[in-house]
Each structure stands twice: as structure tokens, then as C-alpha cells.
């Protein structure tokens, strides 16, 4: 098993799929490498591709706000990653072959960080990790056994920015669910 730093060195040279051709840089992940909590998004957007960090655009601002307000944490107290490491052109959805090519990087990071709770942000991350084709509306609202811990599916923050107060309220409830699961585990 590589270390996280070794895995990142491998990732920045990756050419396993065509997304590598259009990237400015690989967006590997950020935060505490042994966090109990990991967020998994879809893939880098324009800002993330330029800055090399996940969730630094508008979606990221909402993610940071919800982390702080509902869980009392910032991104140094969790780990934040995406299903794909490179920006899909024009922010299109990642293709199944791209998700498959990147999947070993995601699986190995899950092994290395070994979080107790994984919060999946949106359809892509949730479907990828729960291995389902069901939509996020149906899947959210509960936790699922995942690896040796739990998975809490929620909306992608971009969907919440589009969907308004009701979607944000549901996301808040999902973040509280994740916080409770973490608290129950240590108590
Ligand atoms: N959307 C994502 O899914 N991930 C990011 O890093 C940014 C936006």
C-alpha cells in the first residue's frame, strides 16, 4: 500500500484517461489524511483545475459554510476528494470509463484515510460508492453501511445552489446526520 504522498505523486503523472489531456493540474484532495470524516464530490470544475484544490469555487463556499454551521469543523478536520481527479471539459459529467479509470485512486484514498463516515456529494459520488443507479433524492435521508463505517449521501452543493432553500435544508439535515454518527462512535 502506498502512502498518500506516494499516491499523489503517481496521480499527478496519470494518463489513464483522456481527461489528463485537458487538465491544468490534477486535483488530488485536501485536508487531514487520517480524518474520521471524508467528503467525496464529483470532479474538479474550472477554479479547482486552476488552483489544484477540490471545492474552491461557489460550491466549495457552500460546502465550507455547511461544515462550519452544522458540524463545527473546517476542511483541516476532514478530508475532501472527488471521484475524478481531472476536470471534465466544459464541466460535463464524467464518463463511466473516466470514473472507472480513476476509481483505484479513490479506493486507495479510502483505504489510506480510512474515515468512519463518508459523505457523498451528489449523484456521481453516491452512485459510484454505493454501486447503484438510484438517484440522490431517493438515496439521501439515511446512512448506509460502508466499508467499516457509514456512508451519508447528500446533494451536490451545486444542486443546492440551484435548488434553493429546501435543498439546502435537506443538506443541513444530512450534515447533522453525519455529525451524530461520528459523535455516537466516540461516545
Ligand atoms: N464540484 C465537485 O464535484 N468537486 C469540486 O471539487 C468542485 C466542484
Amino acid at each position: 500500500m502506498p502512502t498518500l504522498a506516494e499516491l499523489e505523486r503517481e496521480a499527478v503523472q496519470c494518463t489513464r484517461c483522456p481527461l489528463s489531456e485537458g487538465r491544468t493540474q490534477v486535483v488530488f484532495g485536501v485536508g487531514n489524511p487520517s480524518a474520521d470524516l471524508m467528503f467525496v464530490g464529483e470532479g474538479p470544475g474550472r477554479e479547482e483545475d486552476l488552483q489544484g484544490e477540490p471545492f474552491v469555487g461557489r460550491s466549495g463556499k457552500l460546502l465550507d459554510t455547511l461544515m462550519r454551521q452544522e458540524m463545527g469543523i473546517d476542511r483541516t478536520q476532514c478530508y475532501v476528494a472527488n471521484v475524478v481527479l481531472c476536470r471534465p471539459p466544459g464541466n460535463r459529467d464524467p464518463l463511466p470509463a473516466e470514473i472507472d479509470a480513476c476509481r483505484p485512486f479513490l479506493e486507495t484514498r479510502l483505504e489510506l484515510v480510512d474515515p468512519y463516515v463518508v459523505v457523498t456529494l451528489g449523484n456521481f459520488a453516491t452512485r459510484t460508492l454505493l454501486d447503484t443507479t438510484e438517484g440522490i433524492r431517493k438515496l439521501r435521508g439515511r446512512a448506509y453501511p460502508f466499508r467499516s463505517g457509514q456512508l451519508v449521501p447528500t446533494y451536490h452543493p451545486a444542486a443546492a445552489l440551484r435548488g434553493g432553500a429546501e435543498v439546502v435544508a435537506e443538506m443541513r439535515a444530512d450534515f447533522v446526520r453525519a455529525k451524530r454518527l461520528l459523535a455516537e462512535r466516540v461516545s
Side-chain angles (χ1 to χ4, degrees), residues 27 40-45 48 53-57 59-60 81-82 121 156 158:
V27 179
V40 181
E42 179 177 324
E48 291 77 21
E53 183 172 325
F55 286 103
V56 289
S59 292
N82 281 309
L121 300 163
H156 192 284

Side-chain angles (χ1 to χ4, degrees), residues 92-105:
R92 68 156 167 75
D93 293 338
L95 302 173
E98 294 159 355
I99 293 174
D100 286 350
C102 226
R103 198 171 178 132
F105 286 114

Side-chain angles (χ1 to χ4, degrees), residues 149-169:
Q150 317 245 10
L151 187 149
V152 176
T154 193
Y155 295 105
H156 192 284
L161 288 170
R162 284 192 305 271
E166 201 175 311
V167 179
V168 175

Side-chain angles (χ1 to χ4, degrees), residues 139-153:
L139 292 169
R140 68 153 295 280
R142 53 164 285 204
Y144 298 78
F146 181 67
R147 298 168 52 86
S148 52
Q150 317 245 10
L151 187 149
V152 176

